[in-house]
Amino acid sequence: AEYMGTTKFKYYSRDGSMLDGHAVAALLALGGLGALGRALGVHMFGSDDGARDDEPAPPPRTNTEFVRDLVRRRVVTCAPLAAALEAVERAEFVPPEMLEVSGFTSPYVDAAIPIGFNATISAPHIAGVGLDVLAERVCEGTAVAPNLRILDVGSGCGYISAVFAALVAPHGGSVIGVEHVGELVATARRNIARVFASRPEIAGAIEFIEGDGYEGAPGRGLFDVIYAAVSPADMPPALWEQLAPGGRMLIPIGPPDGYHRLIQVDRSKDGASNNVKSL
């Protein structure tokens, strides 16, 4: 941890990647000091995980281990979401050459990994926390709501869109991913075609469009869930307008060179009011 002034710290994992403040808070809230320590790869004094400071946990070796680790750390608490994560092989979305350049040896390391064009595939704890919060809108217990429409803003290589599709497509849902880098749109389409080659019903439920993420998907209706990987300084009006009644949006807000707050927006079922909170 790096002290930044009065009660402010930056937290770094053993591989040097920084944990976002909202992820630290979520890990503490969900799993206490032990969950935070496991994300950092260290033992936190006062936790009961039995780890030692000099024994950082190695990264998971398989996608199944990767998902089980997120569940064990209570980063992911929704059973249908865990099943969707296990159905989507994360390694398929991490270019081997970029993994080598990044210095990591595993696509399952809890860190953001470059995918080219100044973009990354989100660190598992970041993606897991966000997906789990949104899964509260998608799932009720082990049941997935039918016919949900999901917007993935800043879809990059297509990984988050793929997880969402694995979660909702079997129940009539669909996903639109918006990405401003055309080459990444093409990459995401190839990834989806390959990963879901034997499951056309899921591949067919995903659409990627090239465009300005702050504008969402204009003309494509309203969305029950909006997941934004982009970090605008203020809430984009277009995304606000595209959230359906009863829907939930998750988006980081903050200046380019400053701290970001993870904002959750819940729209009432009649669409007349919104509950906005910072996680």
Side-chain angles (χ1 to χ4, degrees):
E2 176 185 349
Y3 184 60
M4 299 297 292
T6 306
T7 68
K8 293 183 179 179
F9 291 83
K10 287 185 179 179
Y11 292 88
Y12 295 87
S13 65
R14 285 288 179 89
D15 59 34
S17 60
M18 186 175 74
L19 294 179
D20 289 39
H22 65 263
V24 171
L27 288 168
L28 285 171
L30 291 170
L33 289 172
L36 178 58
R38 286 188 289 273
L40 295 170
V42 299
H43 174 66
M44 300 293 286
F45 180 78
S47 71
D48 58 359
D49 60 6
R52 292 166 49 93
D53 287 349
D54 57 351
E55 294 179 355
R61 295 168 297 178
T62 67
N63 199 64
T64 297
E65 287 185 5
F66 155 70
V67 177
R68 289 177 179 173
D69 183 62
L70 292 177
V71 172
R72 178 183 61 82
R73 290 157 49 189
R74 296 192 60 77
V75 174
V76 171
T77 62
C78 171
L81 173 59
L85 283 162
E86 192 160 353
V88 178
E89 174 55 69
R90 179 177 170 88
E92 292 286 348
F93 294 83
V94 179
E97 65 276 12
M98 298 306 296
L99 183 64
E100 183 178 354
V101 167
S102 71
F104 298 122
T105 59
S106 168
Y108 311 110
V109 65
D110 201 354
I113 300 174
I115 56 173
F117 307 98
N118 295 316
T120 63
I121 181 172
S122 296
H125 71 272
I126 296 294
V129 167
L131 288 167
D132 206 60
V133 169
L134 292 172
E136 295 173 3
R137 169 63 183 84
V138 174
C139 306
E140 184 172 344
T142 58
V144 178
N147 306 316
L148 291 177
R149 303 186 73 242
I150 296 178
L151 179 64
D152 178 16
V153 180
S155 50
C157 61
Y159 175 68
I160 295 296
S161 293
V163 173
F164 273 131
L167 179 61
V168 304
H171 307 276
S174 60
V175 181
I176 292 180
V178 181
E179 171 57 53
H180 77 284
V181 179
E183 291 87 347
L184 287 177
V185 172
T187 295
R189 289 171 178 160
R190 289 193 298 270
N191 287 341
I192 294 302
R194 183 179 64 256
V195 170
F196 294 122
S198 62
R199 302 191 67 181
E201 74 282 6
I202 295 182
I206 309 172
E207 179 184 0
F208 293 106
I209 59 178
E210 182 179 348
D212 182 351
Y214 293 166
E215 296 299 319
R220 306 302 293 272
L222 303 180
F223 297 90
D224 302 292
V225 169
I226 299 178
Y227 177 98
V230 298
S231 300
D234 298 296
M235 178 69 71
L239 297 185
W240 187 271
E241 294 167 0
Q242 290 170 35
L243 185 63
R248 173 172 289 183
M249 172 165 54
L250 206 61
I251 181 170
I253 300 289
D257 57 349
Y259 289 100
H260 296 103
R261 295 173 298 139
L262 186 62
I263 302 299
Q264 175 182 318
V265 179
D266 289 317
R267 181 150 292 168
S268 63
K269 291 185 178 180
D270 61 6
S273 61
N274 302 286
N275 180 28
V276 182
K277 64 180 181 180
S278 179
L279 300 182

